């Protein structure tokens, strides 16, 4: 294959960054917002801070959008908080919540930044869980429909790119981490009923978007971790295919083809699993046609065969940021994940593998031939200010440079990719390691200890924004539409 020295990006390519409401906003009890299930989950991650304050984006909206504009963004991917918009079971719309997002969207549009908006990024209102039964109950579908309709009607005049549900696959495949399995007695079987209800919510949102938003486009957001076989042993290839099915392919096939795959139906039959499909469900799923696939991709995994006699092992993520604490899963008779000797690892034991982004874009384009956008990709690290109050995050620059180069190669390979939004714009709360695990182009000058103390004192810290070196580097790259790379590229070799 022959490539230009640097890959070329389309003229109208959208460059931005990404966030999620519960991880960035804070202000969890302000202006009528009620608790979300993820608020409670975040309280189980001590000594790290919970999401009460996070990056305090709620009180820094204008400043944050001004920084995005300064960096040169043409897109920003964020999520809406369901309990800020529909705080109680009477279904009344909280106008203060609508105003908050109206201001954010207007501010973005005023700076020519395209909003890319996720409906659901883990913050189900607690009232949905307690009064309706949450994802375990079909009553949640109507509540979600009301919420989605409210969002499309309120913001659809300005928001044209919508995302339905963030990482449904990860919420199911790793149900404990985000608390989705809470309250289920038999997660092995129950996960498929929960999954089916989420699929019906996704399908409902897709159809509503097309009905209510003029020119509106909507897609799902799978968390993609490409799986490589550990060797050329034939059974390692089957193991990689199994891991791919059970962590991502099952979901992507359902979104694109509007039906459960033969692989999944056979698995249900062989294991006596009833996913709770009722009359009309299959028609609803088949009627929901997505417009694009949004991709979250940080890393790759490597799979090896695991015989039926192998000892099962649950996946244990690294909860401290001390290297070597992640435990890979073993699924007897299907696969096990193993360390990849060809890549380096972050302090949280995530593979640093830029080629995985090219692979995943190629994979999705080849399988589904739908436009793609990158909604998450990024480097989590421990970070501190130096004596001059600056943050020199060269490791993040290296990660982003290599990943964006691979994204460019995927585009040169023929993939249709419309936008790149790394995680995250500012530092924000990680799913399990507070603000200690930082991803931002912009530093939030607060620690987990300070956030914990602020909760006791009731005084919100200033959460000062400081541009990291990666902010300046990214700005040069995106304002030149991918020509100013500011350093050498390893070409993945
Ligand atoms: C994705 C989630 C994000 C974000 C990111 C980084 O799976 O969509 O919400 O948190 O992962 O993960 P973590 O915060 O665990 O480092």
């Amino acid at each position: 294959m022959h490539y230009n020295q640097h890959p070329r990006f389309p003229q109208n390519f959208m460059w931005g960054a990404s966030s999620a409401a519960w991880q960035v906003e804070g202000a969890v009890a302000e202006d009528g917002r009620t608790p979300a299930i993820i608020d409670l989950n975040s309280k189980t991650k001590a000594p790290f801070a919970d999401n009460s304050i996070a990056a305090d984006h709620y009180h820094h909206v204008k400043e944050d959008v001004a920084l995005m504009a300064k960096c040169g963004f043409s897109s920003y991917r964020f999520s809406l908080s369901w309990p800020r918009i529909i705080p109680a079971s009477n279904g009344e719309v909280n106008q203060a919540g609508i105003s908050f997002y109206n201001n954010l969207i207007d501010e973005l549009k005023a700076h020519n930044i395209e909003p890319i908006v996720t409906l659901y990024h883990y913050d189900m209102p607690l009232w949905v869980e307690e009064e309706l039964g949450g994802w375990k109950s079909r009553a949640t579908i109507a509540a979600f429909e009301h919420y989605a309709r409210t969002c499309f009607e309120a913001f659809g005049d300005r928001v044209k790119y919508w995302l339905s549900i963030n990482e449904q696959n990860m919420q199911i495949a790793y149900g404990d981490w985000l608390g989705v399995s809470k309250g289920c007695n038999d997660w092995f079987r129950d996960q498929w009923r929960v999954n089916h209800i989420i699929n019906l919510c996704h399908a409902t949102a897709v159809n509503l978007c097309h009905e209510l938003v003029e020119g509106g486009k909507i897609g799902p957001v799978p968390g993609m971790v490409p799986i490589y076989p550990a060797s050329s042993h034939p059974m390692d290839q089957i193991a990689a295919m199994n891991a791919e099915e059970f962590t991502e392919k099952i979901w992507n096939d359902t979104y694109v083809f509007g039906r459960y795959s033969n692989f999944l139906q056979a698995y249900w039959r062989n294991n006596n699993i009833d996913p709770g499909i009722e009359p009309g469900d299959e028609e609803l799923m088949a009627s929901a046609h997505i417009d694009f696939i949004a991709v979250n991709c940080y890393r790759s995994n490597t799979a090896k065969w695991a015989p039926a006699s192998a000892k099962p092992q649950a996946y244990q993520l690294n909860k401290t940021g001390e290297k070597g604490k992640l435990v890979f899963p073993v699924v007897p008779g299907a696969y096990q994940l193993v360390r990849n000797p060809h890549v380096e690892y972050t302090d949280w034991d995530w593979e640093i593998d830029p080629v995985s982004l090219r692979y995943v874009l190629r994979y999705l384009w080849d399988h589904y031939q739908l436009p793609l956008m990158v909604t998450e990709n990024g480097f989590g690290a421990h970070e501190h200010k130096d004596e001059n109050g600056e943050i020199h995050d060269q490791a993040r620059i290296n990660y982003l440079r290599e990943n964006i180069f691979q994204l460019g190669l995927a585009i040169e390979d023929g993939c249709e990719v419309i936008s790149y939004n790394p995680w995250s714009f500012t530092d924000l709360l990680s799913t399990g390691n507070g603000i200690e695990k930082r991803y931002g182009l912009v530093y939030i000058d607060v620690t987990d200890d300070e956030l914990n103390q602020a909760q006791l004192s009731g005084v919100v810290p200033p959460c000062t924004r400081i541009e990291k070196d990666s902010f300046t580097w990214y700005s040069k790259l995106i304002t030149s539409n991918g020509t100013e790379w500011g350093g050498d590229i390893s070409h993945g070799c």
Side-chain angles (χ1 to χ4, degrees), residues 256-460:
V256 177
F257 303 124
R259 62 179 289 274
Y260 292 116
S261 64
N262 287 14
F263 179 90
L264 184 56
Q265 295 194 44
Y267 174 75
W268 288 339
R269 264 196 314 278
N270 295 338
N271 290 281
N272 292 323
I273 291 169
D274 172 9
I277 299 170
E278 294 191 3
D281 291 355
E282 285 168 321
E283 289 75 5
L284 171 61
M285 287 166 58
S287 70
H289 300 291
I290 58 173
D291 300 294
F292 57 81
I293 300 175
V295 185
N296 293 352
C297 177
Y298 293 81
R299 57 189 287 212
S300 55
N301 275 162
T302 299
K304 193 172 152 43
W305 176 244
S309 57
K311 191 166 163 252
Q313 169 65 55
Y315 195 18
Q316 285 171 27
L317 286 169
N318 180 326
K319 296 182 185 156
T320 59
E322 205 186 311
K323 258 191 178 144
K325 292 277 156 95
L326 180 143
V327 181
F328 282 119
V330 180
V331 185
Y335 68 92
Q336 57 186 303
L337 298 182
V338 295
R339 268 183 91 83
N340 183 345
H342 305 291
V343 302
E344 293 187 359
Y345 283 79
T346 70
D347 286 342
W348 277 265
D349 301 313
W350 286 23
E351 292 78 356
I352 302 174
D353 174 18
V355 176
S356 67
L357 189 59
R358 180 183 186 184
Y359 175 97
V360 95
L361 294 167
R362 289 268 298 262
Y363 173 97
L364 288 170
W365 179 256
D366 288 350
H367 279 72
Y368 306 118
Q369 313 235 316
L370 283 167
L372 302 163
M373 64 166 77
V374 179
T375 39
E376 291 183 32
N377 171 244
F379 182 75
H382 301 282
E383 275 165 352
H384 305 281
K385 289 182 294 184
D386 72 3
E387 61 282 2
N388 302 318
E390 295 170 351
I391 300 92
H392 303 299
D393 55 340
Q394 189 58 41
R396 175 166 302 100
I397 293 175
N398 296 345
Y399 177 99
L400 292 175
R401 187 197 286 116
E402 297 289 335
N403 271 265
I404 296 169
F405 192 84
Q406 295 296 326
L407 157 70
L409 293 184
I411 292 172
E412 296 234 330
D413 291 335
C415 302
E416 188 183 336
V417 189
I418 59 177
S419 182
Y420 175 73
N421 302 275
W423 187 265
S424 49
F425 178 53
T426 61
D427 290 336
L428 39 65
L429 210 77
S430 71
T431 55
N433 287 207
I435 202 152
E436 177 62 25
K437 189 181 188 187
R438 293 176 186 267
Y439 281 94
L441 302 169
V442 175
Y443 189 78
I444 300 293
D445 194 6
V446 75
T447 62
D448 283 292
D449 284 348
E450 287 163 356
L451 289 170
N452 286 331
Q453 277 161 21
Q455 252 192 285
L456 297 176
S457 69
V459 181
V460 176

Side-chain angles (χ1 to χ4, degrees), residues 157-170:
D157 56 336
R158 288 150 295 157
V159 176
K160 300 301 173 188
Y161 290 101
W162 291 88
L163 311 173
S164 56
I165 291 180
N166 186 70
E167 296 196 5
Q168 178 181 345
N169 59 322
M170 295 300 176

